[in-house]
Amino acid sequence: MKKLFSACFIFACLILMSGGIAVSSDKVLLDDSPDCEIVVEISGSSIASFRNISSSASDAGMSVMENSPYSADSGIMLVKTRTADADKTIKALEKLPGVVHAEKNCIYRAFKAPNDPKYRYQWNLKKINMDRAWRLSTGKGVKVAVIDTGIAYGNSGRFVRLEDFDRASFADPFNFITNTTDAFDDNGHGSHVAGTIAQSTNNSKGVAGIAFNAVLMPVKVLDENGNGSLADIAEGVKYAAAHGAKVINLSLGGPTGSRILENACRYARSKGCVIVCAAGNDGSESPNYPAAYESCISVSAVRYDNKLAPYSSRGKYIDIAAPGGDMGVDQNKDGCPDGIMQNTIKRGHPEEQEYALYQGTSMAAPHVAGTAALMMAAGIKNPADVEAALKETAFKRGLKLGEGYGAGILDAGAAVAKARSLSCGASSFGIPEGFPNPLFPFIAAVLSIFAIRRFSGNAKHIEEYTSSLPFVAGIAAGAYAMSLIPLSLMPDLAASAVLCAALPISLMFVSIPFRGIRRFSSGFAVGFASLLASSVFDGGSRISAFADLSGFNCVWIAANASIAFISAAFFIRFSPEK
Amino acid sequence: MKKFKGIAVKSDIEGGVWLLKCDDGKTYQISGHYDNLADGARVSVIGSIDRAIMGFAMAGPVIKAEKISAI
């Protein structure tokens, strides 16, 4: 019994150790909006057939839009309708010549989307692949300083807290204009920028923000006209770094550099801050500062069609591009100019709020800052690693890199996935995302074998059993075959059923009469337990069933890992020697 | 103080800023709100360029305007 306890202790330590560094994130629920989209597949993926069907659908009174800039090539288009009219619209669409198939888009599980009603206007978030990024991280606990005109984070005098910051967290505000500890926004710019980073998401209200579980630090250095002194901005950067900010957003700048500001940025970077700056809005190649400093990530602005916005600076100092909007066009045909929509105060009226469309490289920068927060919450800590991963994963296809795009257009989904794999060491094996990293299951399996041998008194036949080919093959099957099942596409209940110890235990019982299969099935149970125990290392990206591996999901996985392991230990110990 | 002549442009960059497109081809940002200024008006601005300030407009140097008059 003592040996059993010591074996279980080793296994429990493994589980607790891995649970202690688990990265959790909130689950994003399915869109339950009264409106929905119908996704339509058309025959002949050409612009001509796309236009024909688009015009026939418009004639029939349907609201047609592109799903992406590549919709004409891929033969996929979207039609907006009321959820109640969805079936009728599908039938009408399927009668149109050239339509292969039509079905509801809003209930498709893979397109998990937040329920914020104005999310549909946030083409910019779709463009940077947020649906994928949110499955891996929500930026929990990462402090993001917004050094700007302040943020509408509280009700005080004429200032109001924005309705779509109802679930947002704020810390350490400071106002360098008045030298006070309240940093309310008297312009609207800072709140808009902060909204892109962390406006409350999936709260059935307004719009979404990228790292909605991050903590915003309002640092006011710009006055109500949007201007501020170099001294205040430099001090603001140092203040943010000294107060624990891990990401600093600077949607400001000027054509003249400053040694003091450059030193402040270098200091913040040395303290572990990722500094993200707007590249500038003069449409030229002349550098803007602080964007052009080595320690800063400089962000240019692109439109819906991936072209650089006409106002965006485009010098060689650009590191990456992100959506900044173009109010002069409506390329996605959603009925609004293609600006960036966030909840903010009315310009110069801090007592009134609105959902405003802005354009500018100031709007592009917070896309990168928010993504950096997601990456840091996913476990990557070094600013240089964050910058390298952002650039490596940026969308590059069809872009003339070096002409203002830097490394390409931000892909938040790929960047956060890269951060996850870096934080759990998968990259060192060169293993593609979605495939299991062998290191942690391997360690868990070796420890399990050691524990089982101890539990069995290190008997000779148990040593032979646990080093036999069928047993080792069983471990490999249990550890890897399970992780290749696309559990993220299953409902949670079904995924929980697959990740239950009942499966390996049943296999062991069935295999009792057969020596080789018996060894394989007990190895399978050990491999299965090792996979589950080690999965918490990367917050579920190995067994991608759950977006949130804290709370019940974590207990479920730990419990089933323990049950599978203990069952296998008993099974092996009491197996016939021959 | 210096006199700048050009076209006042209400740009919708960054939620709205006033720019001065000068006759010499340079673009400046005019700091502040100007309710009586008409978009596209030809104006004369008396003020100074302040290189010690930065802002969110990032569309050129900032002119601290003392007086703006239509011409």
Side-chain angles (χ1 to χ4, degrees):
Chain A
M1 210 55 189
K2 198 175 162 191
K3 286 170 186 167
L4 172 66
F5 277 126
S6 72
C8 290
F9 178 73
I10 292 170
F11 204 70
C13 283
L14 183 68
I15 291 168
L16 288 173
M17 188 177 69
S18 44
I21 58 167
V23 183
S24 69
S25 57
D26 277 356
K27 186 164 291 181
V28 178
L29 300 174
L30 286 169
D31 187 355
D32 57 2
S33 153
D35 296 326
C36 85
E37 292 169 352
I38 309 293
V39 58
V40 185
E41 186 186 353
I42 59 180
S43 63
S45 54
S46 69
I47 290 171
S49 58
F50 186 88
R51 281 190 184 146
N52 282 343
I53 293 172
S54 183
S55 108
S56 308
S58 298
D59 291 347
M62 296 172 194
S63 168
V64 179
M65 54 196 231
E66 295 177 4
N67 184 51
S68 78
Y70 311 108
S71 288
D73 294 333
S74 59
I76 302 283
M77 57 197 275
L78 295 175
V79 173
K80 278 187 356 186
T81 186
R82 304 278 304 167
T83 304
D85 299 334
D87 293 338
K88 208 167 66 184
T89 310
I90 288 171
K91 279 183 189 157
L93 278 165
E94 286 185 333
K95 281 180 190 158
L96 292 176
V99 170
V100 176
H101 181 65
E103 65 187 35
K104 279 188 205 171
N105 195 22
C106 54
I107 57 162
Y108 198 75
R109 174 91 187 176
F111 287 106
K112 280 180 184 175
N115 60 16
D116 308 70
K118 291 185 168 57
Y119 177 65
R120 77 192 67 169
Y121 299 115
Q122 293 184 287
W123 57 270
N124 46 309
L125 299 187
K126 206 183 239 187
K127 175 170 283 300
I128 63 167
N129 208 355
M130 278 314 303
D131 290 345
R132 182 181 178 199
W134 279 325
R135 274 184 240 160
L136 300 171
S137 177
T138 59
K140 200 165 191 172
V142 176
K143 259 190 196 175
V144 184
V146 176
I147 299 182
D148 213 290
T149 58
I151 302 178
Y153 66 94
N155 296 306
S156 173
R158 63 187 183 128
F159 299 103
V160 294
R161 182 179 172 121
L162 294 175
E163 62 172 20
D164 211 3
F165 275 142
D166 58 344
R167 295 183 191 172
S169 307
F170 299 90
D172 305 316
F174 197 83
N175 186 334
F176 282 90
I177 305 290
T178 57
N179 286 323
T180 52
T181 53
D182 57 333
F184 300 121
D185 189 3
D186 49 9
N187 178 281
H189 186 268
S191 300
H192 197 284
V193 167
T196 301
I197 295 169
Q199 213 120 57
S200 301
T201 300
N202 212 39
N203 59 338
S204 306
K205 199 181 285 176
V207 291
I210 289 169
F212 53 87
N213 276 329
V215 179
L216 287 167
M217 184 192 289
V219 182
K220 183 168 171 64
V221 298
L222 302 182
D223 62 19
E224 60 181 341
N225 296 321
N227 296 314
S229 72
L230 282 169
D232 284 347
I233 297 167
E235 259 201 272
V237 171
K238 284 191 165 184
Y239 169 88
H243 286 78
K246 288 293 153 208
V247 181
I248 294 176
N249 188 91
L250 286 159
S251 284
L252 53 81
T256 314
S258 143
R259 179 73 65 83
I260 288 171
L261 182 55
E262 185 173 13
N263 287 343
C265 291
R266 200 178 293 141
Y267 163 80
R269 176 94 169 204
S270 73
K271 296 281 276 183
C273 297
V274 174
I275 310 168
V276 183
C277 301
N281 298 320
D282 62 9
S284 77
E285 295 196 4
S286 24
N288 261 283
Y289 302 92
Y293 295 138
E294 188 64 32
S295 52
C296 301
I297 300 174
S298 162
V299 187
S300 63
V302 291
R303 318 191 302 177
Y304 177 81
D305 64 359
N306 286 351
K307 290 200 172 120
L308 274 181
Y311 55 78
S312 178
S313 295
R314 50 202 69 211
K316 284 184 179 152
Y317 65 99
I318 305 292
D319 291 305
I320 193 166
D326 183 350
M327 302 277 281
V329 294
D330 178 15
Q331 294 173 327
N332 64 341
K333 299 181 181 67
D334 64 354
C336 287
D338 290 346
I340 306 299
M341 184 182 282
Q342 298 298 158
N343 183 202
T344 186
I345 58 162
K346 278 193 178 169
R347 179 60 52 96
H349 296 279
E351 67 284 0
E352 291 178 56
Q353 53 182 298
E354 63 180 352
Y355 288 87
L357 291 162
Y358 277 27
Q359 65 173 352
T361 52
S362 288
M363 283 63 251
H367 286 77
V368 176
T371 303
L374 297 178
M375 294 166 81
M376 292 184 116
I380 183 171
K381 300 295 177 205
N382 185 341
D385 292 342
V386 173
E387 183 172 349
L390 280 166
K391 289 178 175 176
E392 185 189 326
T393 56
F395 177 81
K396 298 173 172 66
R397 193 160 56 98
L399 302 178
K400 287 182 182 168
L401 298 178
E403 293 193 4
Y405 293 98
I409 299 172
L410 171 71
D411 182 339
V416 179
K418 177 76 184 173
R420 269 287 167 94
S421 64
L422 281 174
S423 69
C424 72
S427 64
S428 57
F429 293 86
I431 291 168
E433 188 211 344
F435 285 82
N437 169 7
L439 180 64
F440 298 134
F442 175 77
I443 294 170
V446 168
L447 286 173
S448 302
I449 292 171
F450 171 71
I452 289 166
R453 284 181 180 180
R454 261 189 76 83
F455 171 53
S456 310
N458 289 324
K460 272 263 183 281
H461 75 280
I462 297 295
E463 279 185 28
E464 186 272 326
Y465 186 112
T466 51
S467 51
S468 66
L469 187 63
F471 182 78
V472 175
I475 288 179
Y480 301 125
M482 292 300 296
S483 62
L484 297 178
I485 297 174
L487 293 163
S488 63
L489 299 178
M490 295 181 181
D492 283 359
L493 201 61
S496 302
V498 173
L499 296 174
C500 171
L503 174 72
I505 292 172
S506 311
L507 272 177
M508 283 194 290
F509 270 104
V510 172
S511 67
I512 286 173
F514 314 103
R515 183 174 179 270
I517 301 174
R518 196 163 64 223
R519 292 185 172 198
F520 178 86
S521 65
S522 55
F524 184 89
V526 172
F528 178 90
S530 304
L531 172 71
L532 260 57
S534 61
S535 70
V536 273
F537 271 102
D538 58 5
S541 66
R542 186 174 298 110
I543 44 166
S544 52
F546 307 112
D548 181 358
L549 260 187
S550 59
F552 175 77
N553 291 336
C554 199
V555 171
W556 174 265
I557 287 182
N560 280 284
S562 306
I563 294 167
F565 171 73
I566 292 168
S567 309
F570 272 99
F571 185 86
I572 293 164
R573 179 170 182 176
F574 298 107
S575 279
E577 287 186 28
K578 296 287 174 189
Chain B
M1 289 293 168
K2 200 177 160 189
K3 196 174 202 177
F4 301 85
K5 282 185 183 173
I7 307 291
V9 176
K10 179 80 197 283
S11 165
D12 52 10
I13 285 171
E14 309 287 349
V17 291
W18 279 106
L19 302 178
L20 181 69
K21 304 251 181 197
C22 279
D23 296 345
D24 61 4
K26 288 181 182 161
T27 301
Y28 298 92
Q29 186 208 335
I30 316 171
S31 175
H33 295 295
Y34 301 97
D35 292 336
N36 297 325
L37 200 54
D39 187 16
R42 185 160 174 77
V43 294
S44 154
V45 178
I46 296 172
S48 56
I49 296 173
D50 191 341
R51 296 197 182 275
I53 63 171
M54 290 184 167
F56 61 61
M58 295 172 283
V62 180
I63 299 176
K64 282 189 116 174
E66 294 289 325
K67 189 180 173 192
I68 302 178
S69 46
I71 50 175

PDB file of all heavy atoms in Angstrom, chain A residues 359-371:
ATOM      1  N   GLN A 359     -10.190  56.239 -38.265  1.00  0.00           N
ATOM      2  CA  GLN A 359      -9.151  55.673 -39.127  1.00  0.00           C
ATOM      3  C   GLN A 359      -7.817  56.294 -38.752  1.00  0.00           C
ATOM      4  O   GLN A 359      -7.772  57.427 -38.286  1.00  0.00           O
ATOM      5  CB  GLN A 359      -9.454  55.934 -40.604  1.00  0.00           C
ATOM      6  CG  GLN A 359      -9.436  57.411 -40.978  1.00  0.00           C
ATOM      7  CD  GLN A 359      -9.558  57.660 -42.469  1.00  0.00           C
ATOM      8  OE1 GLN A 359      -9.515  56.726 -43.261  1.00  0.00           O
ATOM      9  NE2 GLN A 359      -9.712  58.918 -42.855  1.00  0.00           N
ATOM     10  N   GLY A 360      -6.752  55.545 -38.934  1.00  0.00           N
ATOM     11  CA  GLY A 360      -5.420  56.069 -38.625  1.00  0.00           C
ATOM     12  C   GLY A 360      -4.487  54.963 -38.195  1.00  0.00           C
ATOM     13  O   GLY A 360      -4.936  53.864 -37.843  1.00  0.00           O
ATOM     14  N   THR A 361      -3.204  55.259 -38.239  1.00  0.00           N
ATOM     15  CA  THR A 361      -2.258  54.251 -37.753  1.00  0.00           C
ATOM     16  C   THR A 361      -2.384  54.097 -36.229  1.00  0.00           C
ATOM     17  O   THR A 361      -1.971  53.082 -35.677  1.00  0.00           O
ATOM     18  CB  THR A 361      -0.800  54.597 -38.138  1.00  0.00           C
ATOM     19  OG1 THR A 361      -0.511  55.921 -37.720  1.00  0.00           O
ATOM     20  CG2 THR A 361      -0.576  54.475 -39.628  1.00  0.00           C
ATOM     21  N   SER A 362      -2.989  55.099 -35.568  1.00  0.00           N
ATOM     22  CA  SER A 362      -3.301  54.955 -34.130  1.00  0.00           C
ATOM     23  C   SER A 362      -4.250  53.800 -33.892  1.00  0.00           C
ATOM     24  O   SER A 362      -4.266  53.225 -32.814  1.00  0.00           O
ATOM     25  CB  SER A 362      -3.979  56.213 -33.605  1.00  0.00           C
ATOM     26  OG  SER A 362      -3.097  57.266 -33.512  1.00  0.00           O
ATOM     27  N   MET A 363      -5.097  53.505 -34.887  1.00  0.00           N
ATOM     28  CA  MET A 363      -6.055  52.406 -34.755  1.00  0.00           C
ATOM     29  C   MET A 363      -5.390  51.060 -35.078  1.00  0.00           C
ATOM     30  O   MET A 363      -5.788  50.019 -34.563  1.00  0.00           O
ATOM     31  CB  MET A 363      -7.243  52.611 -35.728  1.00  0.00           C
ATOM     32  CG  MET A 363      -8.276  53.637 -35.300  1.00  0.00           C
ATOM     33  SD  MET A 363      -7.645  55.303 -35.165  1.00  0.00           S
ATOM     34  CE  MET A 363      -7.668  55.518 -33.400  1.00  0.00           C
ATOM     35  N   ALA A 364      -4.358  51.112 -35.930  1.00  0.00           N
ATOM     36  CA  ALA A 364      -3.651  49.876 -36.291  1.00  0.00           C
ATOM     37  C   ALA A 364      -2.787  49.374 -35.128  1.00  0.00           C
ATOM     38  O   ALA A 364      -2.750  48.179 -34.834  1.00  0.00           O
ATOM     39  CB  ALA A 364      -2.781  50.124 -37.530  1.00  0.00           C
ATOM     40  N   ALA A 365      -2.110  50.310 -34.445  1.00  0.00           N
ATOM     41  CA  ALA A 365      -1.182  49.924 -33.370  1.00  0.00           C
ATOM     42  C   ALA A 365      -1.846  49.076 -32.289  1.00  0.00           C
ATOM     43  O   ALA A 365      -1.281  48.051 -31.882  1.00  0.00           O
ATOM     44  CB  ALA A 365      -0.520  51.171 -32.778  1.00  0.00           C
ATOM     45  N   PRO A 366      -3.046  49.467 -31.782  1.00  0.00           N
ATOM     46  CA  PRO A 366      -3.625  48.653 -30.695  1.00  0.00           C
ATOM     47  C   PRO A 366      -3.997  47.227 -31.117  1.00  0.00           C
ATOM     48  O   PRO A 366      -4.139  46.360 -30.253  1.00  0.00           O
ATOM     49  CB  PRO A 366      -4.861  49.451 -30.264  1.00  0.00           C
ATOM     50  CG  PRO A 366      -5.135  50.417 -31.351  1.00  0.00           C
ATOM     51  CD  PRO A 366      -3.830  50.692 -32.019  1.00  0.00           C
ATOM     52  N   HIS A 367      -4.161  46.970 -32.420  1.00  0.00           N
ATOM     53  CA  HIS A 367      -4.362  45.577 -32.856  1.00  0.00           C
ATOM     54  C   HIS A 367      -3.121  44.751 -32.493  1.00  0.00           C
ATOM     55  O   HIS A 367      -3.227  43.614 -32.040  1.00  0.00           O
ATOM     56  CB  HIS A 367      -4.591  45.506 -34.373  1.00  0.00           C
ATOM     57  CG  HIS A 367      -5.941  45.983 -34.808  1.00  0.00           C
ATOM     58  ND1 HIS A 367      -6.261  47.312 -34.895  1.00  0.00           N
ATOM     59  CD2 HIS A 367      -7.058  45.306 -35.176  1.00  0.00           C
ATOM     60  CE1 HIS A 367      -7.525  47.441 -35.302  1.00  0.00           C
ATOM     61  NE2 HIS A 367      -8.030  46.231 -35.480  1.00  0.00           N
ATOM     62  N   VAL A 368      -1.951  45.342 -32.716  1.00  0.00           N
ATOM     63  CA  VAL A 368      -0.702  44.635 -32.414  1.00  0.00           C
ATOM     64  C   VAL A 368      -0.478  44.581 -30.898  1.00  0.00           C
ATOM     65  O   VAL A 368      -0.075  43.547 -30.354  1.00  0.00           O
ATOM     66  CB  VAL A 368       0.483  45.312 -33.140  1.00  0.00           C
ATOM     67  CG1 VAL A 368       1.796  44.647 -32.766  1.00  0.00           C
ATOM     68  CG2 VAL A 368       0.270  45.259 -34.649  1.00  0.00           C
ATOM     69  N   ALA A 369      -0.788  45.691 -30.211  1.00  0.00           N
ATOM     70  CA  ALA A 369      -0.605  45.723 -28.748  1.00  0.00           C
ATOM     71  C   ALA A 369      -1.511  44.675 -28.082  1.00  0.00           C
ATOM     72  O   ALA A 369      -1.078  43.944 -27.187  1.00  0.00           O
ATOM     73  CB  ALA A 369      -0.916  47.119 -28.219  1.00  0.00           C
ATOM     74  N   GLY A 370      -2.765  44.609 -28.524  1.00  0.00           N
ATOM     75  CA  GLY A 370      -3.698  43.619 -27.959  1.00  0.00           C
ATOM     76  C   GLY A 370      -3.207  42.202 -28.214  1.00  0.00           C
ATOM     77  O   GLY A 370      -3.253  41.340 -27.325  1.00  0.00           O
ATOM     78  N   THR A 371      -2.712  41.965 -29.419  1.00  0.00           N
ATOM     79  CA  THR A 371      -2.206  40.630 -29.754  1.00  0.00           C
ATOM     80  C   THR A 371      -0.982  40.294 -28.902  1.00  0.00           C
ATOM     81  O   THR A 371      -0.829  39.161 -28.437  1.00  0.00           O
ATOM     82  CB  THR A 371      -1.857  40.553 -31.258  1.00  0.00           C
ATOM     83  OG1 THR A 371      -3.030  40.892 -31.999  1.00  0.00           O
ATOM     84  CG2 THR A 371      -1.379  39.178 -31.654  1.00  0.00           C
TER      85      THR A 371
END
